[in-house]
Amino acid sequence: MSNEHAWLSHLTNAVPKSAFGKRLSMYTIALEAWRRGIKVKFYRLEDPENKLRIRYSLSYRGKEYNFESSRGDLLTDQAYDICEDKDLTKQYLSKSDIPVPEGKRFMEDSSDEEIVDCAHKLGYPLVLKPVSENAGKGVMANIQGEDDLREALVHVRRELKYTDVLIEKRVPGEDFRLFVLDGLVGAVQRIPANIVGDGEHTVQELIDIKNSERKKNPHQSSRLIIIDKEVQHLIRLGGYTLNSVPKHGEQIYLREKASLSTGGEPIDVTGEISNEIKETAIQSVKAIPGLAECGVDIISDQSNKAGVVIEMNTRPGLGPHLFPVKGQARDIPKAFVDHYFPETMHVERTNLYFDFDNVIEPLKSRSMQQIELMSPPIGKLYAKRYIVSGDVQGVGYRKWIRKQALQHHLHGYTQNKKSGDVVVVVAGSNQDDVSVFKTLCYQGPDHAEVAKVKEKDYEKPVKMGFDIQKESKEKSLDKLKAKLQKEKADKEKMDQKITQLEHENNLAQQKLENVQQQKEQIEQIYTVLKNSRSWRYTQPLRNIGNITKRS
């Protein structure tokens, strides 16, 4: 995976694991609002199937909006209903001369034969997809012929139970997601799941390495590359197996579709995408009445700069724009809060973040119906990182530091280091309180003996409150796993070296045996020759020759 990205500094270390994946949009929008002093409340909806449905509201000076993920109240029910129906969406777009794929809708009572007949008229390749699903669910792309189509119909209509479907001409080109909110806010190109060879690791190992990187990405952590039939088929199609070692720089695509949920990768292209595609996305949103914010999916190639709109999303995930694998991250949460609360646009947001785990757990356990966050101090935050050396572990130093920080209304954490030092990070609105805290670090509890305190400015976000941090089990396991993988790699290299030496030794032994066999053959020939009559008869001549040589 490429690391050529520039993520937003105010989100660095500010997204807890509980906000990774599907809750990322909810958390980042709520965080942006909370940092501006907007009241944030999380609540759960009762669900007849006992599913956890968490929603949140933002309120400021008597104005309140409710949100479901990235969908807010300013997006009307009419717009939502239109975009949920892919066929109806196409009708609205077509009326506004927005290019859409050629195709036809088939209801539940339509037979497979009707769909096959339509497919023959449209011509292959084709795409089959449910009328009212998103995130690529049930979409069968690049159907090449009737056999493929019949197999896809069984899978989508019988196995997945999506009986109401669309059949469309497949539009070749690059896959883009554009986020429109008061104009274009961000654009990413989506590429299918893939690996790039390094000349050392096998296909299986490259997939494992990429998945390890994806786990660190708040958007991709739950969207790993699963080695299923499609992945295995494409690996074989490229002439590889899971044990093959691709050459350095050799790219292998593992999926046909560029779906991010199945391992695809977002690359930010906001500053590179053509004006024609931007305008197509903006006009598409305007074509749907009551549509305030939307993720517009467009397929475009070099010969068609305007592109073709294939889908409109009323709850678009912000993750691809916030955490692309390459390019500049786009601050979509800021655009959201600006749109809903324009009066807070110039509020200087704090660099604190709230404890999302303490919000989610009571809602998940059903012990609480709703939770309203305590407002943070607004404005510039000053922070320091102190490294305390001496006899400071096992003497109650961290508990004492926590007590002092809370008494001085400071936020941050303290943590033991393997070296025996203690890390102390403190942050607050009052610069003097933060700077003076160094004196307290020197003081410590009665049994501590502080030898030295190193000071450094701290620029990363800080969680509200003050924690005594321990190394997480996951982090410890990751370190252990990395150590084991390194040991495994070292052992494999040693085994390869031993195998090579054994091979070289076998070759040398074989050469020695060949020489010995040649020697034995020569000796046998010499013995036979020496005992022959001709050898005895020519003995006088050899004697004369020897005398002549000596003289």
Side-chain angles (χ1 to χ4, degrees), residues 237-288:
L237 204 62
Y240 300 96
T241 68
L242 289 172
N243 294 320
S244 300
V245 178
K247 295 178 182 177
H248 181 77
E250 203 159 21
Q251 189 172 35
I252 303 171
Y253 283 97
L254 306 174
R255 298 282 183 198
E256 290 278 1
K257 296 181 294 183
S259 172
L260 301 183
S261 62
T262 57
E265 299 176 357
I267 298 173
D268 180 75
V269 292
T270 308
E272 305 163 21
I273 204 163
S274 71
N275 291 329
E276 291 88 347
I277 295 179
K278 292 178 183 178
E279 191 60 26
T280 297
I282 293 169
Q283 293 304 319
S284 297
V285 174
K286 290 181 179 179
I288 309 296

Side-chain angles (χ1 to χ4, degrees), residues 401-411 437 465-467:
I401 281 291
R402 182 177 185 272
K403 181 179 178 181
Q404 300 303 316
L406 293 176
Q407 286 179 351
H408 288 77
H409 306 290
L410 296 176
H411 310 274
F437 202 79
F466 198 90
D467 292 338

Side-chain angles (χ1 to χ4, degrees), residues 120-158:
H120 290 327
K121 294 174 184 176
L122 287 172
Y124 296 94
L126 295 167
V127 176
L128 176 70
K129 56 187 176 183
V131 168
S132 58
E133 269 298 347
N134 52 32
K137 294 178 182 177
V139 176
M140 305 298 290
N142 201 21
I143 296 172
Q144 294 291 334
E146 183 176 332
D147 291 342
D148 286 347
L149 176 58
R150 290 187 181 278
E151 187 177 334
L153 287 169
V154 170
H155 178 63
V156 175
R157 304 191 87 196
R158 314 285 189 277

Side-chain angles (χ1 to χ4, degrees), residues 321-341:
H321 305 280
L322 291 173
F323 299 100
V325 299
K326 185 177 180 181
Q328 175 67 51
R330 305 294 164 172
D331 201 347
I332 311 292
K334 180 182 184 305
F336 255 100
V337 180
D338 286 351
H339 181 72
Y340 278 82
F341 299 94

Side-chain angles (χ1 to χ4, degrees), residues 39-81:
K39 284 287 183 183
V40 178
K41 180 173 67 178
F42 292 90
Y43 58 94
R44 59 182 176 86
L45 296 180
E46 295 300 331
D47 189 284
E49 297 179 3
N50 205 33
K51 292 181 179 179
L52 181 65
R53 295 197 295 165
I54 297 177
R55 303 292 185 264
Y56 63 107
S57 67
L58 308 178
S59 57
Y60 188 77
R61 294 180 180 176
K63 185 170 61 174
E64 182 176 20
Y65 296 105
N66 290 280
F67 287 81
E68 177 190 358
S69 187
S70 63
R71 179 198 169 191
D73 286 344
L74 293 181
L75 192 150
T76 66
D77 290 340
Q78 181 189 14
Y80 177 79
D81 291 339

